[in-house]
Amino acid sequence: MGDTSIENLLREERTFPPPPGFAAKANAQPDLYAKADADRVGYWMEQALTRVTWVTEPTVALDDSNPPFFKWFTDGELNITANCLDRHLAAGGDKVAYHWIGEPGDKRTLTYRDLADEVARFANGLTSIGIGKGDRVAIYMGMVPELAIAMLACARIGAAHSVIFGGFSADAIIDRVEDASAKLLITCDGAWRRGATVPLKDNCDAAMESSPTIEHCIVVRRTAQDVSMTEGRDIWWHDLVAGQSTECPAAVMNAEDLLYILYTSGTTAKPKGIVHTIGGYLTGAVTSHSLVFDIKPETDVYWCAADIGWVTGHTYIVYGPLANHTTSVMYEGTPDFPEKDRLWSIVEEYGVTVFYTAPTAIRAFMKWGTEYPERHDLSSLRLLGTVGEPINPEAWMWYHENIGGERCPIVDTWWQTETGGIMISPLPGVTTTKPGSATRPLPGLTAEIVDTDGNVLPEGSGGFLTIPEPWPSMLRSLYGDDQRYIDTYWARYPGRYFAGDGAKLDEDGYFWVLGRVDDVMNVSGHRISTMEVESALVSHPAVAEAAVVGAQDELTGQAIAAFVTLRTGYDESKELHDELRNHVGAKIGAIAKPKSIVFTPDLPKTRSGKIMRRLLRDISDHRALGDVTTLANAEIVQAIAAHAADYDED
Ligand code: WTA
């Protein structure tokens, strides 16, 4: 996103004040910012004491005695599932927690009582096979209610979950299971995707051959496809829960005990295990979910259309909504199956009031055309949200007009796996929005733009996005690697959390997040490291060297562009091109398949041997090539550019 004229036009002329009717009833009120500013840590203590139910209330809010290892509510004790389930049962057990819709059209409704019972039965099942406090449990499933049940059951007994997105490959499971030394793997026989099934259990079988720490694999029956069950190791979910009691005491946990690990891509090939603990994470989740989505538990039907395999699903499908006693929609499949109006038909059928999705999905809806939303009555919607990547103003306007009927505020929410919850976002009913800007940090949170030397920049500047003060739902470390935690987030600007994003701050103090400034790509809102794809490519016998960059893409934000040199004895061909794409798919997952692979006799390198990614980016974006005088092999650049479109995928 540059300073295109449309962006300027929208920024100058189109601002959207909060609709008065909305503002009058909003959960968030304008004085919240000043209140939080006056006593930031006290504000968080108040949120923790009023929004969270504790076994032992904390007396300490922030412990900053050992930065950057910040702790929150350290003497508090609680169980997160008591907050998500038990405390709602007496007066609201019959309320629907999830309206679940399977891709083939099957449906399930789980009330809070149903969910509590299922969680207890499965938690007792976990205990019966020796899982307990402090153990790590890997979960690799499709979007079925059992995924949320499995996470909550782990939390019930004090085990930590590590959810692995169901689109990842067997190799990706191995890495994550090994890093966390997980004892248990929970999966499904398969998952539905566009009318076909994805073989989840087969992938687990392949992974378990190289995962010695896994003692058992629990399998949910979902697609009825054939799977092999290894005697003594593999257990059907329905067998494990059969006869289990619906009573399971909630383990009393310290606020700083491990809740979950979630792996995300960093700038090296090895994914980082982001560590979240219980008390601060829950405080951040329950507060932001209530304020940003203006949740009214009695009347709202809320739908976060993400996958639970990503942090958005953890915080805004599972923990935040349940802690706020929300009725949610959960959908298993893709938005275009069986037709491109699937999401809108669900909105109409369930009367969805709050809808949260990613810009890449909105751009796909735009491309498909307005006929699909027009088939349905979307008048129940009152608030829309986006997350995962910068939203271009055109997509924002389309969403506003065609989904929101020009009446729904839009919350563009900036945050990360590391931040645990939303950091920069409008407060609906309070904030005047500008298409393309996530606006301001939420009350109690801070953000600043700095230059390369770490100087804080004033309004009207662009630079690196940092967070100068600790916040409750922040990551605590990288699992098993405190040093990498320091190096990645705190070393570049001492005393500040470095987010890895570039951003502009406008004259009104609004943040415009531009995207990653490191070697992490953002493809359809998914983080993928260039190094991860490069190392997958060079693990193929035909590949000598590979360089990967994120190219601009109208639909997916960035697309993966790979440049490959072949070993002697291998020749380029369409077949090899396809084989390499599939190889990356098998190594990481389909989301990491390069959109284009250019074969080249050499890669452009500086005289010191560094690959010039900037040039490769220019080539991928069809930009005029910049200065090549520092190159050792300048002529190669022209050759690559001439070659670039040979095997482009659509
Ligand atoms: C990007 C997803 C612009 C950003 C919750 C960040 C965004 C990365 C926005 C985190 C937004 C997320 N505007 N960019 N509203 N939201 N991003 O960890 O580059 O999967 O660093 O967390 O997504 O991705 P992650």
Side-chain angles (χ1 to χ4, degrees), residues 264 310-312 356 359 386-391 412-418 424 438 499-501 513-516 522 525-527:
T264 187
W310 308 108
V311 75
T312 305
Y356 190 33
T386 79
V387 60
E389 51 181 322
I391 183 163
D412 171 357
T413 63
W414 176 87
W415 59 295
Q416 308 179 297
T417 309
E418 291 86 340
I424 305 180
D501 281 324
V513 180
L514 301 172
R516 305 289 306 189
N522 190 326
H526 302 320
R527 279 165 68 167

Side-chain angles (χ1 to χ4, degrees), residues 470-489:
W471 65 103
S473 65
M474 67 192 295
L475 78 166
R476 297 304 192 256
S477 190
L478 297 179
Y479 192 74
D481 202 345
D482 287 345
Q483 191 57 46
R484 191 174 176 204
Y485 166 68
I486 297 171
D487 295 345
T488 308
Y489 303 106

Side-chain angles (χ1 to χ4, degrees), residues 263-452:
Y263 287 84
T264 187
S265 292
T267 52
T268 71
K270 190 177 177 311
K272 303 180 290 197
I274 306 296
V275 167
H276 284 293
T277 57
I278 303 167
Y281 174 79
L282 176 61
T283 303
V286 72
T287 307
S288 59
H289 182 255
S290 172
L291 295 179
V292 175
F293 298 109
D294 192 50
I295 294 299
K296 309 283 195 278
E298 296 313 315
T299 46
D300 274 318
V301 179
Y302 161 87
W303 185 8
C304 168
D307 192 293
I308 293 177
W310 308 108
V311 75
T312 305
H314 281 56
T315 308
Y316 297 111
I317 298 178
V318 181
Y319 292 113
L322 293 176
N324 280 322
H325 202 191
T326 312
T327 294
S328 293
V329 164
M330 192 196 292
Y331 170 55
E332 178 183 38
T334 54
D336 55 352
F337 189 86
E339 280 204 75
K340 296 187 171 71
D341 67 341
R342 185 71 189 265
L343 303 191
W344 317 128
S345 90
I346 294 173
V347 168
E348 177 172 15
E349 182 175 348
Y350 291 91
V352 172
T353 56
V354 180
F355 180 71
Y356 190 33
T357 191
T360 194
I362 298 167
R363 290 192 297 267
F365 305 148
M366 269 174 90
K367 193 174 130 194
W368 297 342
T370 53
E371 63 167 289
Y372 297 102
E374 278 165 4
R375 284 185 196 168
H376 298 279
D377 177 4
L378 305 182
S379 61
S380 57
L381 288 170
R382 66 182 193 90
L383 175 62
L384 302 175
T386 79
V387 60
E389 51 181 322
I391 183 163
N392 46 314
E394 298 84 339
W396 197 104
M397 288 303 297
W398 189 92
Y399 198 33
H400 173 68
E401 286 165 7
N402 297 289
I403 306 302
E406 298 186 20
R407 73 183 173 275
C408 303
I410 295 182
V411 288
D412 171 357
T413 63
W414 176 87
W415 59 295
Q416 308 179 297
T417 309
E418 291 86 340
T419 68
I422 295 169
M423 301 296 285
I424 305 180
S425 166
L427 283 178
V430 174
T431 312
T432 292
T433 53
K434 303 182 190 186
S437 169
T439 76
R440 300 170 55 190
L442 292 178
L445 301 173
T446 52
E448 282 172 347
I449 307 284
V450 299
D451 65 16
T452 30

Side-chain angles (χ1 to χ4, degrees), residues 186-244:
I186 307 174
T187 191
C188 302
D189 50 0
W192 287 109
R193 194 171 167 81
R194 289 206 179 86
T197 60
V198 182
L200 297 180
K201 174 63 164 63
D202 289 356
N203 289 345
C204 289
D205 288 342
M208 282 188 285
E209 284 177 20
S210 311
S211 298
T213 58
I214 296 290
E215 294 167 6
H216 289 290
C217 179
I218 300 172
V219 188
V220 175
R221 205 73 174 127
R222 169 60 188 138
T223 58
Q225 68 199 97
D226 278 343
V227 291
S228 75
M229 297 290 282
T230 300
E231 183 79 41
R233 183 192 69 185
D234 300 348
I235 309 165
W236 287 110
W237 176 296
H238 51 261
D239 289 338
L240 185 72
V241 298
Q244 295 292 353

Side-chain angles (χ1 to χ4, degrees), residues 1-72:
M1 303 208 316
D3 256 305
T4 59
S5 54
I6 175 118
E7 189 182 308
N8 274 333
L9 190 81
L10 290 165
R11 186 197 300 194
E12 298 302 325
E13 294 178 8
R14 305 299 302 263
T15 55
F16 295 83
F22 198 110
K25 289 183 258 163
N27 288 357
Q29 294 300 320
D31 61 354
L32 214 50
Y33 291 102
K35 189 179 156 197
D37 282 349
D39 177 8
R40 209 181 70 84
V41 173
Y43 167 83
W44 283 117
M45 190 62 160
E46 187 185 329
Q47 305 311 309
L49 293 178
T50 54
R51 296 181 188 271
V52 173
T53 304
W54 301 86
V55 176
T56 310
E57 287 192 346
T59 60
V60 185
L62 169 65
D63 172 358
D64 56 3
S65 58
N66 183 26
F69 299 95
F70 298 100
K71 293 183 163 64
W72 287 83

